[in-house]
Amino acid sequence: MRVTVLDHPLVAHKLTVLRDKNTTSPVFRLLVEELVTLLAYEATRGVRVEPVEIDTPVTRTTGVGLSKPRPLVVPILRAGLGMLEGMTRLIPTAEVGFLGMARNEDTLDIITYAERLPDDLTGRQVFVLDPMLATGGTLREAIKFLYRRGAEQITCVCLLAAPEGLAALEEELGDSEVNIVLAARDERLDENAYIVPGLGDAGDRLYGVVD
Ligand code: URA
């Protein structure tokens, strides 16, 4: 497992506004998209390409195009949906599948309540979108699910991660090819498994649910 934290002043600046509890949902959504596009640049560094012959106005030359099968982008519902636009802006020909997973806030168990993915993912490069890597439980279940379907290479794009969640994933998936690309590694989890300093409940902040 390889973890990359994007070290860039624009990422840090946008993340600071995102964390601010006074940032409204419309601004929050926009910032998530922008941040994901920046993360996607790093996350797609290993995307497979193949040689393509083209004619420029001057001469014939060889460039590259994305290989087939196309990469598959999988937002984890609900909060991962807010990351989809930012990802597909950079890689518009990617296929998109969906996984609905939720954490039972009492037991912290993960349940899969929806799935819309190709049956066979053999040889596919998959990009999983989930903003908050807290305990790591959701990502662990998503990654296992995708490997069972035949996915070859999995990259998770997250905004924030807690050290506890990263350690748990490392313990279970340490030997695998999984890449994790983050905007920041935060300090810790609190007693409710929220990331500290974090940004609160990403789904609620994206979609405007207020207590
Ligand atoms: N999910 C969230 O939305 N926020 C956290 O801090 C942890 C999990």
Side-chain angles (χ1 to χ4, degrees):
M1 187 176 111
R2 208 178 77 176
V3 180
T4 306
V5 183
L6 224 62
D7 181 18
H8 193 290
L10 271 184
V11 170
H13 164 72
K14 288 176 193 294
L15 196 53
T16 303
V17 184
L18 205 66
R19 290 183 190 278
D20 188 331
K21 67 176 186 183
N22 295 315
T23 297
T24 60
S25 285
V27 176
F28 190 93
R29 276 199 293 272
L30 200 67
L31 282 167
V32 168
E33 284 179 20
E34 289 176 358
L35 272 167
V36 172
T37 302
L38 294 170
L39 292 173
Y41 178 74
E42 180 61 35
T44 52
R45 200 171 277 286
V47 75
R48 277 195 295 261
V49 290
E50 59 195 22
V52 176
E53 290 274 307
I54 55 149
D55 295 305
T56 76
V58 180
T59 186
R60 191 153 185 80
T61 189
T62 307
V64 297
L66 285 183
S67 298
K68 292 210 174 104
R70 297 275 190 228
L72 177 71
V73 176
V74 181
I76 301 195
L77 306 178
R78 150 182 83 142
L81 206 52
M83 302 171 78
L84 182 58
E85 189 67 32
M87 187 76 192
T88 53
R89 184 170 301 142
L90 203 69
I91 187 160
T93 54
E95 195 179 344
V96 180
F98 296 91
L99 263 182
M101 292 185 149
R103 178 170 85 167
N104 178 318
E105 295 297 337
D106 296 324
T107 63
L108 301 185
D109 286 343
I110 305 301
I111 50 157
T112 303
Y113 64 86
E115 176 259 305
R116 194 72 193 252
L117 293 168
D119 286 339
D120 183 9
L121 297 179
T122 306
R124 299 291 289 263
Q125 286 183 304
V126 182
F127 295 89
V128 179
L129 309 180
D130 192 13
M132 308 299 274
L133 197 172
T135 62
T138 307
L139 272 185
R140 182 192 62 227
E141 292 308 310
I143 290 165
K144 283 191 192 162
F145 188 101
L146 293 163
Y147 273 143
R148 279 199 299 273
R149 283 274 170 101
E152 186 178 309
Q153 200 186 62
I154 299 178
T155 300
C156 304
V157 182
C158 307
L159 296 177
L160 301 180
E164 295 90 330
L166 287 171
L169 277 185
E170 175 73 41
E171 201 174 310
E172 280 218 37
L173 307 164
D175 293 341
S176 72
E177 291 278 303
V178 173
N179 289 309
I180 314 259
V181 179
L182 304 171
R185 189 195 312 251
D186 270 8
E187 286 167 23
R188 61 182 172 86
L189 290 179
D190 72 7
E191 57 286 2
N192 299 311
Y194 271 74
I195 298 175
V196 180
L199 49 75
D201 187 305
D204 287 357
R205 295 204 61 195
L206 276 165
Y207 300 115
V209 177
V210 193
D211 289 335

